[in-house]
Amino acid sequence: MTFQNTREFAQQLDAQDELKQYRSEFIFPQHNGKNVIYFTGNSLGLQPKRTKQYVDEVMNDWANLAVEGHFYAQKPWWDYHERFAEPLSKLVGAKPSEVTVMNTLTVNLHLLMVSFYRPTKTRYKIICEEKAFPSDQYMFQGQVHFHGYKPEEAIVEIKRREGEHNIRLEDILAKIEEVGDELALVLLGGVNYYTGQVFDMKTITKAGHKAGAIVGFDLAHAAGNIELQLHDWDVDFAAWCSYKYMNSGPGNASGCFIHEKHHANKELARFGGWWGHNKERRFKMEPQYEPIVGANGWQVSNLPILSLAPYLASVEMFAEVGMSKLIQKRNQLTAYLEFILHEIDNEIQGTEFEIITPANQEERACQLSVFLHGQGRALFEYLMKNGVITDWREPNVIRLAPAPFYCSYEDMYEFGQILKKGIISK
Ligand SMILES: *Cc1c(COP(=O)(O)O)cnc(C)c1O
């Protein structure tokens, strides 16, 4: 499609947008009486209007039923999390028994590493990406320390080549082969949080397995954003947060995937709790722990129902639309944003910014990271003051994520106009 940098053209794309009615299903912060232009759905998704009803329902059941709500609430609490299995498994390409919801992301990655990072004297190394999300870096350090290793001997980072912003697949595969027999675990982000680069999880998983390692992914920026086929790709485990693209609310619960092939393995170490125990016998309060066969067997505590309620609202919304329609719009909307950025860059003298996210659609999703050259933090602040919510990452990057559920083409056009004014008036 040939794009045009005009309001009429953007409005025309909005009129043809199959998902356009969903924009009005979200609550936008207001700026001068208008919706803000929201580019930070990769950090905290907007609140769906239907969410409140899900939370109110739990509040009312708690008020009216108190402890009886565990079994007699409209959606009984004792197995509330099981309502996620069907819709969530579709979103991540899994079988219903392979997914569960619990805790928060970093906590879950730690719990999963209890089972899936089992270093031996000779096989103890972890491969991760250079400049992984800080929480992941701290987690790797903590895990290797816990097992008695030093980070510098056990953690192997895949580096970017000099002058390049993204990590090459060939370099990931070469590193896996190089570490070979010493490799215990490959754990990467499915989508890099900083650049928006999407990794080829299928190929990486295959290479990791060939080296005899376990392969897991942190899907914080992937869940609700990209097509995932975790089961078919033979990924061992994965976890994601739900408050980014999945719009479940600040700090909310995490989802986990554990491949079916590990479910019946009683040898796997795990940090158990009563919610992972045989469901039929849970309330018999017996001393012998018998984990549920399935991802639910990694549950620890009874679940925070008030947190799960907004997550359920969101998962049901995703199931209603389906990832393929979201991805279709995501591709066109991101491409339109890229076009607008190039148009603005062409209109002004000198290179002011550079898109560091891969230009290839296969290697990116709903995010363009823009490295500012002639500009600095002042431009970011100008955008904020003018109702454009982006985020700033040191040293000089603005991340723009036009979430397809609620961002419009006209938002992209409008953003371009504000950006141009901001650059000219610097
Ligand atoms: C956002 C994000 C996290 C956040 O972890 P929490 O435990 O939910 O605070 C972790 N990893 C990555 C890659 C992220 O992008």
Side-chain angles (χ1 to χ4, degrees), residues 56-96:
D56 286 348
E57 182 189 300
V58 179
M59 292 299 280
N60 292 335
D61 284 339
W62 176 24
N64 297 325
L65 300 166
V67 73
E68 299 247 82
H70 282 299
F71 295 103
Y72 301 109
Q74 292 175 66
K75 302 184 184 87
W77 306 330
W78 82 294
D79 60 359
Y80 195 96
H81 58 289
E82 291 182 10
R83 294 171 184 271
F84 287 79
E86 202 50 57
L88 192 56
S89 65
K90 289 206 182 79
L91 292 180
V92 298
K95 296 188 173 180

Side-chain angles (χ1 to χ4, degrees), residues 104-106 133 135-136 193 218 220-221 241 243-244:
T104 45
L105 174 54
T106 311
F133 190 81
S135 195
D136 295 33
Y193 83 100
D218 177 340
H221 281 260
C241 49
Y243 48 81
K244 291 175 178 166

Side-chain angles (χ1 to χ4, degrees), residues 6 24-25 54 90-91 98 118 127 149 154 171 189 210 214 232 246 305 307 321 337 356 369:
T6 65
S24 62
E25 289 221 24
Y54 283 64
K90 289 206 182 79
L91 292 180
E98 291 176 317
R118 305 295 302 156
I127 283 187
Y149 298 93
D171 292 348
K210 192 162 163 240
I214 290 276
D232 288 349
M246 298 198 76
I305 304 301
S307 298
V321 178
L337 173 62
I356 62 173
S369 298

Side-chain angles (χ1 to χ4, degrees), residues 88 91 223-224 240 242-248 311 314-315 318:
L88 192 56
L91 292 180
W240 53 92
S242 58
Y243 48 81
K244 291 175 178 166
Y245 290 103
M246 298 198 76
N247 314 317
S248 78
Y311 191 6
S314 145
V315 164
F318 270 86

Side-chain angles (χ1 to χ4, degrees), residues 191-263:
V191 178
N192 181 270
Y193 83 100
Y194 190 81
T195 60
Q197 180 184 13
V198 176
F199 291 113
D200 179 346
M201 288 180 254
K202 183 179 174 187
T203 305
I204 293 168
T205 303
K206 216 165 153 188
H209 287 164
K210 192 162 163 240
I214 290 276
V215 183
F217 291 97
D218 177 340
L219 300 178
H221 281 260
N225 180 21
I226 67 171
E227 159 95 23
L228 293 163
Q229 290 299 338
L230 298 177
H231 177 87
D232 288 349
W233 296 341
D234 206 24
V235 168
D236 292 289
F237 71 92
W240 53 92
C241 49
S242 58
Y243 48 81
K244 291 175 178 166
Y245 290 103
M246 298 198 76
N247 314 317
S248 78
N252 210 345
S254 157
C256 298
F257 165 87
I258 296 139
H259 199 283
E260 169 179 68
K261 66 188 174 186
H262 298 298
H263 291 181

Side-chain angles (χ1 to χ4, degrees), residues 5 63 122 209 342 390 410:
N5 185 17
T122 53
H209 287 164
H342 288 316
T390 71
E410 195 172 356

